[in-house]
């Protein structure tokens, strides 16, 4: 789908209320590899397959809605990140994007580390056998219990996010007779070009300690004095779904400057910097994300250059991609329930899920694409809004897209690029049962997170 402000663009598009026009893609049956997992293809039958499996068979066996995740694509993306830095950096997958025990095992096997931000994520990581020293604990308000469990388990690092936490982690570590490796998360004062809710490096927000006003320098001073802490580096995460490298460059430069200041003041050179995650992915054909090797080259060269200029040894770099690894590897498979044409407006296509399995459209005005996947169609393109089955009108999955005009109840449609922040932010709104995650690989499918049942709901409802 390409966006256009040109009224002559669409052949069959209705005028959208905002006055925008959308041109239908040249071929509605085509699947843009930018947004679909690597093994997704349309077969001779007209239906779509993934990992060698027909989506109709997957729907039959596992039901809909379902998140279908291409394991080989996930592993390939892990390897691409690992190799991008030539082994000279540590890649921490951000578990918040999507975490399950199978995912932890894949990460472990592919040589990645893991960033967790809650006791639940930590428990999942440990249960699936991720070595504690390859885990980093994040969070702006970690509980005492979360910190205790992390220190006790021996996590490789805790990323300190406030002055209180510096003392809290130090005390807990001392009480346990340990010296905890920590980084300090700083806010570098960069305005990331992304949605306000997912930008994190400007000063007026809850994360990190500001470089501005000497706050971060003061945090370093305090951390260096505490016996329970081993300060190993500085951390900066500027936001999420970012395409422009400029923010990362400014961030890297400011973090290196802080390292130089620390060296000047304390005579110590911290050995690590973490530049966070946040790399954007393609949700529609209009998005042009950077490849891991481009990002690695750019970050490594900035850090090297700045360190040389400051006379510092180049620290070990780490990064924390979440979305860029898992996002493109999965799609959500839905069955169409109703098709409602609204004269002069658009056609509403209702599916058997909605904002409970993908809140991103409602929360961030996120854009998605959609395709008919149970068959090919030669019908004309029709402007649609894909909506869910929840009891509110904001329950939109894909705001504006084209589907073939003959789309009908019983058809399977799929929304690509839903691997990140969809299952992990899914809810039970309207007592919806959260969909399963089905991993496919080389002709085999296995459920890695099962579909919720009414018994699951009842188990919590103890009144
Ligand atoms: N590191 C830290 C410290 C983070 O806070 C995050 C994301 C990441 C790494 C991974 O960022 P990624 O590479 O996945 O962009 N729910 C929102 C995204 C929130 C991101 C929170 N932190 C969404 O659906 O867009």
């Amino acid at each position: 789908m390409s966006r256009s402000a040109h009224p002559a663009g669409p052949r069959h598009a209705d005028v959208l209320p905002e006055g925008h026009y959308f041109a239908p893609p040249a071929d509605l049956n085509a699947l843009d590899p930018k947004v679909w997992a690597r093994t997704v293809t349309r077969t001779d039958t007209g239906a779509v397959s993934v990992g060698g499996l027909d989506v109709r068979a997957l729907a039959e066996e596992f039901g809909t809605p379902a998140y279908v995740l291409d394991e080989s694509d996930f592993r390939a993306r892990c390897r691409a990140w690992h190799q991008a830095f030539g082994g000279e950096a540590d890649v921490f997958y951000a578990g918040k994007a999507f975490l399950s025990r199978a995912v932890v095992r894949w990460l472990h096997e592919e040589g990645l580390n893991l960033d967790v931000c809650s006791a639940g994520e930590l428990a999942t990581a440990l249960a699936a056998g991720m070595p504690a020293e390859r885990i980093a604990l994040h969070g702006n308000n970690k509980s005492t219990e979360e910190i205790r469990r992390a220190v006790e388990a021996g996590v490789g690092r805790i990323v300190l996010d406030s002055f209180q936490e510096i003392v809290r982690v130090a005390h807990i570590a001392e009480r346990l007779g340990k010296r905890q490796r920590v980084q300090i998360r700083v806010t570098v004062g960069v305005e990331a070009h992304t949605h306000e809710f997912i930008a994190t490096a400007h000063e007026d927000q809850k994360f990190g300690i500001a470089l501005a006003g000497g706050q971060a320098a003061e945090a370093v001073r305090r951390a260096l004095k505490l016996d329970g802490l081993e300060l190993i580096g500085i951390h900066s995460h500027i936001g999420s779904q970012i395409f422009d490298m400029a923010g990362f460059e400014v961030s890297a430069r400011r973090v290196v400057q802080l390292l130089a200041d620390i060296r000047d003041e304390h005579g110590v050179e911290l050995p690590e910097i973490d530049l966070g995650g946040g790399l954007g992915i393609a949700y529609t054909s209009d998005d042009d994300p950077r490849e891991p090797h481009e990002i690695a080259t750019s970050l490594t060269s900035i850090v090297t250059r700045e360190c040389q200029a400051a006379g510092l040894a180049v620290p070990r770099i780490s990064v924390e991609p979440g979305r860029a690894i898992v996002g493109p590897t999965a799609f959500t498979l839905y069955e169409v329930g109703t098709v409602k044409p609204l004269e002069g407006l658009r056609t509403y296509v209702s599916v058997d899920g909605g904002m409970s399995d993908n809140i991103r459209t409602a929360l961030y005005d996120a854009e998605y694409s959609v395709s008919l996947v149970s068959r090919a169609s030669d019908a004309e393109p029709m402007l649609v809004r894909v909506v869910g089955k929840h009891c509110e009108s904001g329950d939109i999955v894909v705001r504006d897209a084209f589907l073939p005009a003959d789309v009908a109840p019983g058809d399977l449609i799929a929304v690509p690029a839903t691997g990140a922040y969809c299952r992990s932010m899914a809810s039970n709104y309207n007592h919806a049962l959260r969909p399963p995650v089905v991993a496919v690989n080389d002709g085999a499918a296995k459920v890695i997170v099962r579909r919720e049942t009414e018994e699951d709901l009842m188990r919590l409802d103890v009144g």
Side-chain angles (χ1 to χ4, degrees):
M1 182 174 73
S2 70
R3 190 158 307 119
S4 150
H6 195 280
R11 279 173 298 150
H12 299 279
D14 301 306
V15 181
L16 300 172
E18 310 84 40
H20 284 280
Y21 293 78
F22 292 87
D27 177 5
L28 274 184
N29 294 313
L31 301 163
D32 185 347
K34 264 208 281 190
V35 297
W36 292 91
R38 285 180 202 192
T39 66
V40 170
T41 53
R42 197 176 284 279
T43 66
D44 296 344
T45 66
V48 166
S49 81
V50 56
L53 298 167
D54 190 309
V55 293
R56 294 168 300 182
L58 291 171
E60 185 69 31
E61 185 171 354
F62 303 106
T64 55
Y67 304 101
V68 181
L69 193 157
D70 182 344
E71 179 184 338
S72 64
D73 193 9
F74 186 98
R75 287 179 181 273
R77 287 173 195 278
C78 290
R79 284 196 289 275
W81 276 95
H82 197 51
Q83 288 159 7
F85 291 91
E88 295 301 309
D90 297 312
V91 181
F92 284 75
Y93 168 76
K96 65 207 84 183
F98 171 63
L99 197 65
S100 77
R101 286 190 284 195
V103 163
V104 175
R105 288 193 298 272
W106 301 340
L107 293 168
H108 190 190
E109 285 163 16
E110 301 299 341
L112 265 63
N113 307 306
L114 178 60
D115 139 18
V116 300
C117 66
S118 69
E121 289 185 358
L122 177 63
T124 304
L126 294 172
M130 179 60 87
E133 64 273 15
R134 282 170 52 186
I135 299 175
L137 177 67
H138 267 284
N140 69 301
N141 186 18
K142 308 167 189 75
S143 71
T144 305
E145 178 58 12
E146 284 171 322
I147 296 168
R148 192 192 58 73
R149 282 171 67 180
V151 174
E152 213 163 51
V155 299
R157 64 170 77 149
I158 295 181
V159 183
L160 302 173
D161 200 277
S162 66
F163 283 101
Q164 286 92 348
E165 203 173 76
I166 295 173
V167 178
R168 215 172 274 160
V169 173
H171 283 171
I172 291 171
E174 278 173 42
R175 229 178 300 134
L176 292 170
K178 297 204 178 201
R179 190 145 188 260
Q180 177 61 49
R181 289 158 64 84
V182 295
Q183 294 188 339
I184 291 176
R185 176 165 174 176
V186 301
T187 41
V188 294
V190 172
E191 292 288 338
H193 298 289
T194 187
H195 192 282
E196 178 194 348
F197 293 175
I198 51 178
T200 55
H202 52 298
E203 272 129 24
D204 185 6
Q205 43 88 26
K206 68 174 184 168
F207 292 107
I209 301 176
L211 284 179
Q215 297 282 300
E218 177 57 20
V220 169
R221 236 166 259 141
R222 295 191 194 178
L224 284 174
K225 283 198 193 115
L226 295 166
D227 290 339
L229 305 181
E230 180 189 351
L231 182 61
I232 56 167
I234 300 296
H235 182 286
S236 164
H237 169 76
I238 61 169
S240 204
Q241 186 57 8
I242 297 167
F243 290 99
D244 184 358
M245 285 301 290
F248 292 102
E249 291 172 14
V250 175
S251 165
R253 223 174 293 131
R254 294 189 183 164
V255 168
V256 172
Q257 182 55 50
L258 178 62
L259 293 187
D261 294 346
I262 295 168
R263 188 255 336 259
D264 294 345
E265 183 179 341
H266 305 281
V268 286
E269 290 196 22
L270 300 183
E272 294 185 12
I273 64 174
D274 189 312
L275 295 170
L279 266 302
I281 62 162
Y283 285 101
T284 75
S285 298
D286 291 343
D287 297 324
D288 284 308
R290 301 295 191 89
E291 292 296 323
H293 67 87
E294 295 177 73
I295 292 144
T297 307
S298 156
L299 291 182
T300 311
S301 63
I302 298 158
V303 171
T304 307
R305 196 185 58 223
E306 296 296 314
C307 285
Q308 278 165 357
L312 285 167
V314 180
R316 188 160 179 91
I317 298 175
S318 51
V319 289
E320 297 172 337
R323 187 192 319 261
I325 291 179
V326 71
T329 68
F331 58 81
T332 313
L333 188 59
Y334 298 105
E335 185 177 307
V336 173
T338 65
V339 177
K340 195 182 280 185
L342 298 188
E343 196 56 41
L345 285 171
R346 73 184 85 242
T347 295
Y348 280 78
V349 174
S350 294
V351 295
D352 47 359
M355 65 196 302
S356 56
D357 58 71
N358 187 350
I359 190 63
R360 299 194 68 262
T361 309
L363 193 54
Y364 313 117
D365 283 331
E367 288 183 9
Y368 284 92
S369 44
V370 61
S371 291
L372 175 61
V373 291
S374 48
R375 62 187 173 89
S377 168
D378 294 330
E380 292 292 317
M382 171 172 72
L383 183 66
V384 300
R385 179 160 289 177
V386 179
V387 294
K389 59 181 291 165
H390 294 283
C391 296
E392 59 181 85
S393 47
D395 174 25
I396 297 167
V397 179
V398 186
R399 191 171 297 281
D400 300 299
F402 286 91
L403 281 173
D406 64 352
V407 66
D411 278 333
L412 297 175
I413 62 175
V415 175
T418 57
Y421 304 109
C422 285
R423 180 59 181 80
S424 65
M425 296 205 296
S427 78
N428 289 123
Y429 184 38
N430 298 145
H431 281 202
L433 302 170
R434 286 178 293 177
V437 181
V438 180
V440 294
N441 195 11
D442 211 7
K446 68 172 184 279
V447 174
I448 58 169
V449 178
R450 72 160 166 77
R451 186 184 300 286
E452 270 178 334
T453 61
E454 288 179 5
E455 292 75 64
D456 291 327
L457 295 180
M458 299 307 161
R459 202 168 298 141
L460 298 179
D461 185 340
V462 293

